[in-house]
Amino acid sequence: MKLPFLLASIALLAGLPVLAAERLVVTAQHDLKVPRPAETITVPWREVAKALPGALLHQLNVRDATGQVLPYQVTNVAPLAQDPKNEGIAYGELIFQHDFAAGEQSVRFTVEKAAGVVPPFPVKAFARYVPERLDDFAWENDRIAHRTYGPALAAPAAPGTAKEVLVTSGLDIWFKRPSYLIVDRWYNKGHDHYHRDEGEGLDMYSVGRSRGAGGSGIWKDGQLYTSRNYARWRVLANGPVRAVFELDYDAWDAGGVQVSETKRFTIDAGQQFYAVESTFTARSAQALPVALGLHKTPAYPNQQPQITTQRAPGLLMQWVKQRDAGDFGAAIVLPGAQGYAEDAMNELILTQAQPGHALRYHLGAMVSWSGEVTTAEAWRAYVQAYRARVAAPVRVLVGAER
């Protein structure tokens, strides 16, 4: 018996792999028959490392069934981790996207090591802290942008200054026209400019002290109790396909109960909606009555807005018809919602959240000059279609191919 064959036989008997897989095969499946554009596929890195030992984030090719190379991202969950064995132990997930066509319910991808370095792909999802504008935090993708407000905006103005002061944990919307990123450009050109459409869109959403477009609070005895501006921030992933960040909100009094909150935001390329996971902390282990809200008057008065609010199971939707700036919709998708309410400033959708357990929901918006949605009825249909996607998530199966 020749030595190489003997060694291979011993390895097989010992249950050890002889050869590493040449490719990782990823199959994504779902149960809907409608189109699902920009669907994000996630693969735990441990599956990549198992099939392709020594694989590195900058030396991969992800291909669809036609062989086309797809943009991808590898999240870095532990950036300071040491990796002496070159195993990629700091990595979290491999992320890429696919546009499911109508009737396409299963699709196959392959992942393989690249012969050389794969340059970065264009960034289509982005988030950052904005110290130059009173501690704003902003995020965007290739479709839409958002921001919320930090402690510097809430701080009192020094005597003799005209500093803006606003205490709110509401969420803002920036309606953009181009697919390229605009957050840095708009902050650079300044407040007076991004409130006017100079060709790239504008901030025409009014938040004030309201919940804005999806802010949270505690609804107790017919009253809404909300936090102040966010206190701390962390960016966990930053494109090209997905941006993930967290905002901490210090404890506030919610009708005699001290409650604090951490929000994790996940925004993907190509989507009008983004996901939020709110984790509340309270001394009591009892479930908290949580409300998510939409501002009742989110348009500026000079636009003479006409506002339509619609409720459906698990949904709260709003369509704002304006004089000349473009109409827009905002929506909350909250699986398992338990009712609705309102106060002077907000339309509210209600649920219960157990302290220490993440409450997941989705927030989105769209403007009429995008051309995709131009009426309240069309917006309702769009939101309901998105809710159907949330209820029927994509299943991901992986296997090695030699």
Side-chain angles (χ1 to χ4, degrees):
M1 181 181 290
K2 294 184 179 180
L3 185 59
F5 181 79
L6 176 61
L7 292 176
S9 300
I10 293 172
L12 287 171
L13 291 173
L16 299 175
V18 180
L19 296 173
E22 294 182 2
R23 297 190 298 180
L24 175 68
V25 177
V26 178
T27 303
Q29 301 173 337
H30 70 105
D31 297 327
L32 302 180
K33 295 184 178 181
V34 298
R36 298 180 71 142
E39 192 67 55
T40 303
I41 314 297
T42 62
V43 180
W45 184 261
R46 63 178 179 274
E47 300 292 343
V48 180
K50 185 190 303 181
L52 306 173
L56 297 172
L57 67 85
H58 57 287
Q59 293 180 335
L60 285 181
N61 282 323
V62 179
R63 300 181 186 274
D64 64 15
T66 69
Q68 180 180 354
V69 174
L70 303 178
Y72 71 84
Q73 174 180 347
V74 177
T75 59
N76 198 3
V77 295
L80 299 182
Q82 299 297 311
D83 192 8
K85 295 182 180 180
N86 201 31
E87 296 173 337
I89 60 175
Y91 301 164
E93 293 177 316
L94 172 66
I95 301 173
F96 54 95
Q97 291 191 317
H98 177 69
D99 295 325
F100 283 91
E104 183 182 38
Q105 294 179 291
S106 181
V107 64
R108 183 177 184 270
F109 309 91
T110 57
V111 183
E112 60 193 15
K113 294 181 182 179
V117 171
V118 176
F121 297 96
V123 175
K124 294 184 177 181
F126 172 69
R128 82 167 175 97
Y129 168 62
V130 190
E132 66 268 31
R133 219 306 290 197
L134 296 171
D135 287 355
D136 281 5
F137 197 97
W139 60 102
E140 67 174 311
N141 63 9
D142 50 332
R143 310 273 297 184
I144 197 165
H146 302 267
R147 66 168 170 171
T148 193
Y149 310 102
L153 183 62
T161 68
K163 184 190 93 64
E164 181 183 1
V165 178
L166 178 61
V167 178
T168 183
S169 52
L171 305 177
D172 196 11
I173 306 169
W174 282 4
F175 295 102
K176 55 187 276 187
R177 292 183 182 275
S179 60
Y180 57 75
L181 303 181
I182 53 83
V183 160
D184 285 346
R185 289 163 65 95
W186 286 20
Y187 276 114
N188 190 41
K189 67 183 184 179
H191 182 275
D192 291 340
H193 289 272
Y194 60 67
H195 281 288
R196 300 195 302 265
D197 190 348
E198 299 175 338
E200 293 183 318
L202 76 162
D203 174 10
M204 59 180 174
Y205 191 92
S206 175
V207 176
R209 295 179 60 86
S210 78
R211 297 298 77 215
S216 57
I218 303 299
W219 181 252
K220 185 176 181 181
D221 299 327
Q223 185 173 343
L224 184 63
Y225 297 90
T226 62
S227 68
R228 292 173 63 88
N229 306 35
Y230 82 83
R232 290 166 299 280
W233 61 273
R234 290 174 297 282
V235 174
L236 306 178
N238 221 350
V241 178
R242 167 174 286 178
V244 184
F245 63 95
E246 292 181 342
L247 300 178
D248 294 332
Y249 295 84
D250 284 343
W252 71 95
D253 178 74
V257 178
Q258 290 292 304
V259 177
S260 59
E261 181 184 9
T262 295
K263 280 186 167 79
R264 175 174 288 197
F265 297 74
T266 301
I267 182 167
D268 288 348
Q271 296 289 342
Q272 297 293 147
F273 281 81
Y274 62 95
V276 185
E277 292 178 316
S278 284
T279 302
F280 297 91
T281 302
R283 289 186 177 181
S284 172
Q286 294 182 345
L288 296 168
V290 175
L292 307 175
L294 297 177
H295 190 194
K296 283 184 172 180
T297 55
Y300 296 120
N302 70 311
Q303 287 297 320
Q304 303 169 6
Q306 302 173 33
I307 301 170
T308 302
T309 299
Q310 299 175 311
R311 298 171 176 178
L315 301 178
L316 180 62
M317 299 163 283
Q318 192 177 58
W319 184 256
V320 181
K321 189 172 180 59
Q322 302 189 106
R323 186 186 65 189
D324 57 19
D327 307 335
F328 65 87
I332 300 169
V333 176
L334 177 62
Q338 298 172 5
Y340 304 89
E342 61 180 291
D343 66 6
M345 287 189 292
N346 307 284
E347 299 284 351
L348 301 168
I349 186 169
L350 308 177
T351 190
Q352 298 277 320
Q354 200 70 32
H357 295 266
L359 169 68
R360 186 174 177 86
Y361 49 96
H362 302 255
L363 308 176
M366 183 181 285
V367 66
S368 61
W369 33 256
S370 68
E372 295 184 53
V373 167
T374 58
T375 66
E377 293 73 21
W379 177 234
R380 181 186 179 98
Y382 188 96
V383 176
Q384 289 177 324
Y386 183 81
R387 181 187 59 182
R389 290 177 64 168
V390 171
V394 169
R395 302 181 298 275
V396 178
L397 308 174
V398 297
E401 183 178 85
R402 291 184 170 82

